[in-house]
């Protein structure tokens, strides 16, 4: 029973997470895409790809919360790392520096 209660608690994104995803869509165009990735005990990473190719992310408590986040944000479409999603992604110099820890 404890597992059921825990899943219920982590199945919904916070209002702050929803606001961050909505802001991303507003700044980077409609429709934006979202790839939900399990990252272990920490939860899940929702990778956002804007219509302009920009990347962003929101970390949530579980993959269920990630799926709920995608459902909660208008103009945010669920996606996978298929060729179409990869093709629209544009990784600029600034993002590459951040990924390298510089």
């Amino acid at each position: 029973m404890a597992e059921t209660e825990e899943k219920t608690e982590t199945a919904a994104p916070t209002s702050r997470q929803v606001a961050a995803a909505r802001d991303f869509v507003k700044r980077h165009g409609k429709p934006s895409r979202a790839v939900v990735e399990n990252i272990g005990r920490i939860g899940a990473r929702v990778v956002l790809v804007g219509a302009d190719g920009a990347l962003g992310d929101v970390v949530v408590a579980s993959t269920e919360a990630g799926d709920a986040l995608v459902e909660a944000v208008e103009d945010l479409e669920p996606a996978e790392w298929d060729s179409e999603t990869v093709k629209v992604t544009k990784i600029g110099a600034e993002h590459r520096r951040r990924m390298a820890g510089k």
Side-chain angles (χ1 to χ4, degrees):
M1 182 141 199
E3 284 184 34
T4 304
E5 290 175 20
E6 185 175 322
K7 281 194 181 265
T8 301
E9 291 174 13
T10 61
T14 66
S15 59
R16 191 174 188 174
Q17 292 164 337
V18 172
R22 283 185 179 139
D23 183 58
F24 180 89
V25 172
K26 182 179 177 183
R27 288 184 293 121
H28 297 288
K30 304 172 188 176
S32 290
R33 299 166 188 244
V35 180
V36 179
E37 302 174 326
N38 184 348
I39 54 175
R41 286 187 226 174
I42 295 172
R45 177 179 183 219
V46 181
V47 181
L48 305 169
V49 181
D52 63 358
L55 281 175
D57 67 353
V58 178
V59 176
V60 294
S62 66
T63 55
E64 292 86 2
D67 293 337
L69 174 70
V70 176
E71 287 288 320
V73 177
E74 189 175 346
D75 296 314
L76 187 58
E77 300 176 349
E80 295 182 13
W81 286 119
D82 54 18
S83 61
E84 190 175 318
T85 300
V86 172
K87 194 182 327 179
V88 299
T89 304
K90 295 181 180 132
I91 301 175
E94 180 182 341
H95 193 81
R96 290 180 195 280
R97 281 191 293 277
R98 280 196 339 233
M99 290 184 342
K102 296 179 181 181

